[in-house]
């Protein structure tokens, strides 16, 4: 990987990894989960609209036959995902959320095998087993002395499943639209259901702490807009396989940022579970399929943070 690609990929992974801590700061500083999601996606949607309307920008509208798929994938991959993560982080730490979300490729592999009828090799099944062992350890670590898995863990796992659906079913659209166009479509579609949270939004903004408002602004601008641009630059400057492998360190960034910013450090069980889950993801992505092309090995990223 050349220097430019490495720097851009590192910036992206840092931005995406820091999002989980920023969400916690917003929640702790006075935002309700619904208002935090809506404010974030109003900002992101506005930024993509500015990009689409910018003079000289080549930005195509979606075809009629693709509208339903785009809407459904936007509602699942954006709306359900962010409801799961943000409401889940009411009771789950930022680091734990980051590790659970990183398991999304495990669920993508399951969808590919059982619904899309793709073939899975022996190493793929081993990777899936490792992934679920890791997920089990992480969720057990959130159960506390009562050994009851928290509601937040279920919500974050729901988010991981939702983003895996987006990964699995977006492939036909990637052949017809640019990544930037598709991300904008999903963002706009996913924002629509969030308007249910509109009542009381301005009261939350007015009464939230300065740190919470800055965090809301940060997650509205950086993970979706700036993070996506730096990711596109990285993919354009280096080999896709090498660049996308940087995503494996995103949960590490989530742990470090949450620890430094919020003093939220995961338990040893959670860390071990996260390491096992990531190992499972690596095995599935690199060795899982019997007939896997170079393009299909590249994990696609559309603001899953």
């Amino acid at each position: 990987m050349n220097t430019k690609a490495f720097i851009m990929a590192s910036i992206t992974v840092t931005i995406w990894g820091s999002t989980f801590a920023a969400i916690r700061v917003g929640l702790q500083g006075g935002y309700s989960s619904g208002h935090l999601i809506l404010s974030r996606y109003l900002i992101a949607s506005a930024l993509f609209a500015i990009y689409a309307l910018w003079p000289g920008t080549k930005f195509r509208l979606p075809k009629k036959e693709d509208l339903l798929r785009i809407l459904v994938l936007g509602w699942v991959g954006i709306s359900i995902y962010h409801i799961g993560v943000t409401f889940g982080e009411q009771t789950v730490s930022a680091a734990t959320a980051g590790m659970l979300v990183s398991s999304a490729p495990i669920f993508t592999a399951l969808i590919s095998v059982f619904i899309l009828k793709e073939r899975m090799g022996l190493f793929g099944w081993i990777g899936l087993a490792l992934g679920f062992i890791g997920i089990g350890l992480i969720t057990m670590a959130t159960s506390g002395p009562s050994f009851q898995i928290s509601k937040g863990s279920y919500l974050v796992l729901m988010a991981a499943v939702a983003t895996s659906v987006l990964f699995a079913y977006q492939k036909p659209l990637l052949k017809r639209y640019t990544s930037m166009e598709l991300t904008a479509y999903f963002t706009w579609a996913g924002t629509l259901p969030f308007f249910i949270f509109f009542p009381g939004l301005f009261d939350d903004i007015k009464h939230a702490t300065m740190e919470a408002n800055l965090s809301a602004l940060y997650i509205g601008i950086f993970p979706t807009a700036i993070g996506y641009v730096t990711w596109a630059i990285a993919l354009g400057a280096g080999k896709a396989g090498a660049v996308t492998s940087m995503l494996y360190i995103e949960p590490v960034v989530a742990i470090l940022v949450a620890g430094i910013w919020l003093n939220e450090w995961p338990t040893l069980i959670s860390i071990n579970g996260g390491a096992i889950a990531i190992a499972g993801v690596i095995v599935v992505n690199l060795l899982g399929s019997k007939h896997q092309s170079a393009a299909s090995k590249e994990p696609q990223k559309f603001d899953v943070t």
Side-chain angles (χ1 to χ4, degrees):
M1 190 188 313
N2 61 49
T3 302
K4 180 180 179 181
F6 177 77
I7 291 173
M8 290 296 103
S10 297
I11 291 172
T12 307
V13 170
T14 300
I15 289 172
W16 283 339
S18 67
T19 306
F20 299 98
I23 290 172
R24 287 280 283 180
V25 170
L27 294 175
Q28 293 173 357
Y31 276 86
S32 68
S33 296
H35 290 153
L36 185 59
I37 297 169
L38 177 58
S39 62
R40 169 183 185 173
Y41 266 85
L42 286 175
I43 295 169
S45 293
L47 290 173
F48 277 117
I50 292 171
Y51 168 80
L53 297 172
W54 196 263
T57 299
K58 294 181 179 179
F59 192 92
R60 298 164 296 176
L61 293 176
K63 299 176 181 179
K64 289 182 180 179
E65 59 266 27
D66 294 328
L67 282 175
L68 181 59
R69 180 185 286 262
I70 289 170
L71 284 171
V72 172
L73 289 179
W75 293 335
V76 175
I78 300 296
S79 305
I80 294 178
Y81 170 83
H82 284 284
I83 287 172
V85 168
T86 309
F87 279 83
E89 282 201 52
Q90 290 178 341
T91 56
V92 170
S93 71
T96 299
M99 288 188 288
L100 287 174
V101 167
S102 70
S103 68
I106 299 296
F107 297 106
T108 302
L110 285 176
I111 292 171
S112 298
V113 171
F114 291 105
I115 299 178
L116 302 181
K117 305 302 181 182
E118 296 182 7
R119 298 181 66 187
M120 179 74 73
L122 174 61
F123 283 107
W125 292 110
I126 292 173
L128 286 176
L130 287 173
F132 280 108
I133 290 171
I135 291 169
L137 289 174
I138 297 169
T139 52
M140 282 177 57
T142 68
S143 64
S146 64
F147 292 101
Q148 292 183 343
I149 299 174
S150 69
K151 178 182 177 182
S153 294
Y154 285 120
L155 287 171
V156 178
L157 281 173
M158 178 187 75
V161 173
T163 198
S164 71
V165 171
L166 175 60
F167 291 167
Y169 286 96
Q170 69 190 358
K171 290 180 182 179
L173 296 173
L174 286 167
K175 297 176 182 178
R176 295 194 285 275
Y177 304 99
T178 67
S179 297
M180 203 64 142
E181 289 170 341
L182 203 52
T183 306
Y185 302 155
F186 289 148
T187 297
W188 293 330
T191 300
L192 294 176
F194 297 150
F195 278 97
I196 193 175
F197 301 124
F198 187 79
L201 173 64
F202 295 109
D203 286 337
D204 257 17
I205 294 173
K206 183 169 62 176
H207 294 108
T209 65
M210 177 64 73
E211 186 180 17
N213 282 323
L214 290 175
S215 294
L217 192 62
Y218 173 82
I219 60 178
I221 295 173
F222 282 83
T224 304
I226 294 178
Y228 190 81
V229 171
T230 55
W231 185 245
I233 294 172
L235 288 174
K239 293 182 178 180
V243 172
T244 53
S245 67
M246 294 285 288
L247 292 175
Y248 298 132
I249 67 172
E250 185 180 331
V252 178
V253 175
I255 292 171
L256 292 176
V257 173
I260 295 170
W261 192 355
L262 300 170
N263 197 31
E264 286 185 356
W265 295 99
T267 64
L268 183 59
I269 294 177
S270 290
I271 293 174
N272 289 335
I276 294 171
I278 294 302
V281 169
I282 293 172
V283 171
V284 167
N285 279 346
L286 298 184
L287 303 172
S289 176
K290 289 183 177 180
H291 303 287
Q292 195 172 38
S293 66
S296 66
K297 288 181 183 178
E298 297 166 15
Q300 300 292 333
K301 185 77 172 184
F302 287 106
D303 187 31
V304 295
T305 54

